[in-house]
Amino acid sequence: MKIKFLLPVILLVAVVAQSCVSNKKYAELQSNYNKSLDTNSKLKQSWQVTQQELSGSRARVTSLEEQIAQAKSNAIALQDALNKCLAGNNQGNVNIAKLADQITASSQYIRHLVDLKNKSDSLNLVLTNNLTRSLSPDEIKDVDIKVLKGVVYVSLSDNMLYKSGSYEISDKAGTLLSKVAKIINDYSTYDVLVEGNTDNVPIKQINIRNNWDLSALRASSVVQALQNTYSVDPKRLTAGGRGEYNPVADNGTAGGKSLNRRTQVIITPKLDQFMGLIGKDPAQKAPGQ
């Protein structure tokens, strides 16, 4: 009986003991579970924050990739522009080189022209001196002599040669014509053109139709005087009239009209004669040629 009585007690104690252990374990498990829930919540929050940061990072990466792509595109464009610029500079250098050559050639040509002008001026001076060597200093004052491109122009004022409104040689013209004849006869092989010129005032003479007639008749009078009085070979002489159409001054003034009323004696040497004036035979070559 005693054993039967203890058995239920033992079972009761075991059940009670088992019941006590289960509650404790449950509490522990519950605590652990709560902790897990809390940890999970924190992890979830951390994950969400990480996701947000990851999303932001991806956005920044995308932006950076776009910026890199744009930078690469700009670099390509800049390189292309640089290449074009370099090519343009090279072409510019070529053009500059060509321009420099042209400037050099132009400068040489200008120097050539200056040399020619200096030589021409020197030659004209020699011609003038040679042609006027038969005249005294006082006589030269009455004769205007110019040398242009190898042609000698002896200009004579009409008021010293002719009677007013006429083609007849005046008495005082003898001395002047003798001076001109000295120049012409000093170079007896040169061709001579006597050219009459007038102003634009119409001539009023019954036997002279216009200024053409007057200029030609005046030139003819000088030619005949040179031939008949001063023994100039008529084969060398030519008489011509240019009327009012070769003025050297403005016909609007009295002074201009006076300058336009002139007779020019134009002496034209041939090439060999021309070279002879400066003491050089064209057939002769310079040393080394």
Side-chain angles (χ1 to χ4, degrees):
M1 284 295 295
K2 187 177 182 179
I3 293 174
K4 290 182 180 182
F5 175 75
L6 288 176
L7 184 56
V9 173
I10 292 171
L11 292 174
L12 178 59
V13 171
V15 171
V16 171
Q18 183 178 4
S19 176
C20 291
V21 172
S22 297
N23 289 335
K24 183 178 180 180
K25 185 66 176 176
Y26 173 79
E28 183 180 356
L29 292 172
Q30 185 67 39
S31 176
N32 290 337
Y33 173 74
N34 291 335
K35 289 180 181 179
S36 297
L37 290 177
D38 183 56
T39 299
N40 181 63
S41 177
K42 291 180 179 179
L43 290 173
K44 186 176 182 179
Q45 291 177 356
S46 178
W47 179 82
Q48 290 176 346
V49 171
T50 302
Q51 285 295 109
Q52 291 176 353
E53 292 177 350
L54 178 60
S55 177
S57 297
R58 287 176 176 172
R60 286 193 295 274
V61 169
T62 300
S63 177
L64 289 173
E65 288 176 346
E66 292 176 352
Q67 293 178 29
I68 291 171
Q70 183 63 42
K72 288 182 178 179
S73 177
N74 292 340
I76 293 174
L78 288 173
Q79 185 63 48
D80 183 59
L82 178 60
N83 292 337
K84 290 181 180 179
C85 182
L86 292 175
N89 285 338
N90 291 335
Q91 183 63 38
N93 291 335
V94 173
N95 291 337
I96 291 172
K98 290 182 179 179
L99 180 60
D101 291 341
Q102 292 175 358
I103 291 174
T104 300
S106 178
S107 298
Q108 292 174 348
Y109 181 63
I110 290 173
R111 286 195 295 271
H112 174 65
L113 292 179
V114 171
D115 290 342
L116 288 179
K117 182 182 183 302
N118 292 336
K119 290 179 181 178
S120 176
D121 291 342
S122 299
L123 179 59
N124 290 345
L125 180 60
V126 171
L127 286 170
T128 301
N129 290 337
N130 287 341
L131 290 170
T132 58
R133 67 186 180 184
S134 59
L135 302 179
S136 68
D138 291 336
E139 290 173 331
I140 292 175
K141 295 179 182 179
D142 295 328
V143 180
D144 181 20
I145 298 179
K146 294 180 180 179
V147 181
L148 302 174
K149 298 180 179 180
V151 178
V152 182
Y153 295 85
V154 182
S155 185
L156 310 173
S157 175
D158 278 9
N159 60 3
M160 298 182 66
L161 287 176
Y162 314 107
K163 297 177 181 179
S164 178
S166 171
Y167 55 87
E168 293 182 13
I169 301 295
S170 65
D171 296 335
K172 62 181 180 180
T175 302
L176 181 60
L177 287 178
S178 67
K179 298 173 184 178
V180 175
K182 286 181 182 180
I183 297 174
I184 296 174
N185 286 327
D186 199 27
Y187 295 90
S188 59
T189 58
Y190 292 5
D191 293 329
V192 180
L193 167 64
V194 179
E195 180 184 271
N197 295 270
T198 71
D199 57 25
N200 63 347
V201 177
I203 184 68
K204 296 180 179 179
Q205 296 287 345
I206 297 176
N207 59 337
I208 301 176
R209 292 173 297 179
N210 49 42
N211 285 333
W212 278 114
D213 279 359
L214 178 61
S215 63
L217 288 170
R218 285 181 169 180
S220 178
S221 294
V222 172
V223 163
Q224 293 180 62
L226 291 173
Q227 174 188 355
N228 299 327
T229 306
Y230 303 103
S231 302
V232 177
D233 185 356
K235 295 179 180 178
R236 301 170 53 203
L237 299 172
T238 300
R242 302 194 66 175
E244 62 194 73
Y245 303 105
N246 186 35
V248 294
D250 184 6
N251 277 309
T253 65
K257 286 185 174 69
S258 178
L259 291 174
N260 291 332
R261 294 191 300 269
R262 70 198 187 282
T263 296
Q264 284 189 313
V265 179
I266 303 172
I267 304 172
T268 309
K270 297 180 176 64
L271 179 60
D272 55 343
Q273 299 166 342
F274 177 79
M275 299 304 292
L277 283 175
I278 57 174
K280 182 178 179 181
D281 187 341
Q284 297 177 351
K285 293 185 179 179
Q289 290 186 335

